Amino acid sequence: MSKLKYHQAFTELTTLALLHLYSYIDRTSQFVPMKKRNEQLNKFLKAQKSLPRNEIIKKDIKVLIAQGRKGISLEKKLGELHKVNCEYGEKFTDADHLFVLLTYLYEAHGFESMLDDPNIEREKGIIYTDNELIDSCFSDEHVLSRPLPISIIMNEPERLVDIINGHGGMFLAEIVSIKPDDNCATILLRKI
């Protein structure tokens, strides 16, 4: 799944870089030549190079900066790379998108996820599902054919639902039930 992380980081970088440039252009009342556009993008890319989230694409950022210094239009290059990344992203399966969501929940909010094992007691704050559910909800082509139930023990499961629904991915979450004895919530992930 490192290709997926690479794709995510690079898509985010190209989007933010182009937004940065177009915001700069919008604030000026004059025409902005390519040299000035490259300067703006180079400044932005230099700042992005040191961010931990861009570690996986650090070499690519250095190459872009070097190309900008040589006079190659970074705006055009970033546009082309963004288009290629978007085409690659269209090939993602629903299972890939689920991986993206679970990675986001762990990295941004600390929600670990694991397969349920009836021989091990569930821990608070961990998202559980099991292989049988995954197999029955996903087709052989890794397409979500019916909502996937997940479980979590926590005091306010609405918080997890709000985080998932605010993620902007392809899933919508809703609480189906909450067991009052242990606060174990069952949440359905539906494909938008």
Side-chain angles (χ1 to χ4, degrees):
M1 285 296 173
S2 64
K3 284 184 181 180
L4 189 58
K5 283 186 168 265
Y6 176 87
H7 166 75
Q8 284 178 296
F10 211 81
T11 299
E12 186 176 318
L13 176 78
T14 57
T15 302
L16 291 175
L18 291 170
L19 283 172
H20 173 79
L21 175 65
Y22 297 143
S23 294
Y24 171 78
I25 292 170
D26 190 52
R27 288 189 311 269
T28 63
S29 58
Q30 301 174 351
F31 173 75
V32 181
M34 186 185 75
K35 184 176 179 181
K36 186 69 174 171
R37 291 173 189 230
N38 273 1
E39 287 173 12
Q40 285 298 313
L41 286 169
N42 264 332
K43 271 201 287 193
F44 176 82
L45 291 171
K46 283 179 187 175
Q48 294 295 307
K49 186 173 61 170
S50 61
L51 296 177
R53 71 173 185 238
N54 291 329
E55 185 64 34
I56 196 166
I57 57 171
K58 193 172 187 173
K59 290 179 184 176
D60 298 293
I61 295 172
K62 288 179 182 180
V63 169
L64 284 168
I65 291 169
Q67 288 177 339
R69 286 185 187 141
K70 290 180 182 178
I72 295 171
S73 171
L74 285 179
E75 178 183 9
K76 183 177 177 185
K77 187 74 173 170
L78 285 166
E80 291 167 356
L81 292 170
H82 185 71
K83 182 180 176 187
V84 168
N85 259 338
C86 288
E87 289 169 357
Y88 178 75
E90 290 171 4
K91 296 177 186 174
F92 285 175
T93 65
D94 295 350
D96 292 328
H97 286 285
L98 178 61
F99 175 79
V100 169
L101 173 64
L102 293 174
T103 301
Y104 165 75
L105 290 173
Y106 177 69
E107 291 177 351
H109 300 281
F111 288 104
E112 193 176 336
S113 56
M114 53 189 329
L115 291 174
D116 206 2
D117 183 347
N119 300 322
I120 298 174
E121 188 176 333
R122 289 182 175 178
E123 295 179 40
K124 193 173 184 175
I126 297 178
I127 299 168
Y128 291 95
T129 194
D130 65 49
N131 269 332
E132 289 178 18
L133 284 173
I134 293 170
D135 290 343
S136 68
C137 293
F138 283 93
S139 70
D140 291 339
E141 294 79 32
H142 307 289
V143 174
L144 187 66
S145 56
R146 65 185 189 96
L148 175 68
I150 59 173
S151 301
I152 187 164
I153 299 172
M154 65 184 292
N155 292 334
E156 297 175 15
E158 298 84 10
R159 192 175 117 234
L160 176 60
V161 169
D162 290 343
I163 291 169
I164 292 170
N165 292 342
H167 175 246
M170 69 169 289
F171 296 105
L172 190 62
E174 71 174 286
I175 296 176
V176 177
S177 66
I178 301 174
K179 292 182 188 174
D181 55 330
D182 64 357
N183 283 341
C184 182
T186 300
I187 298 170
L188 276 184
L189 292 180
R190 298 182 190 278
K191 190 168 139 178
I192 296 176

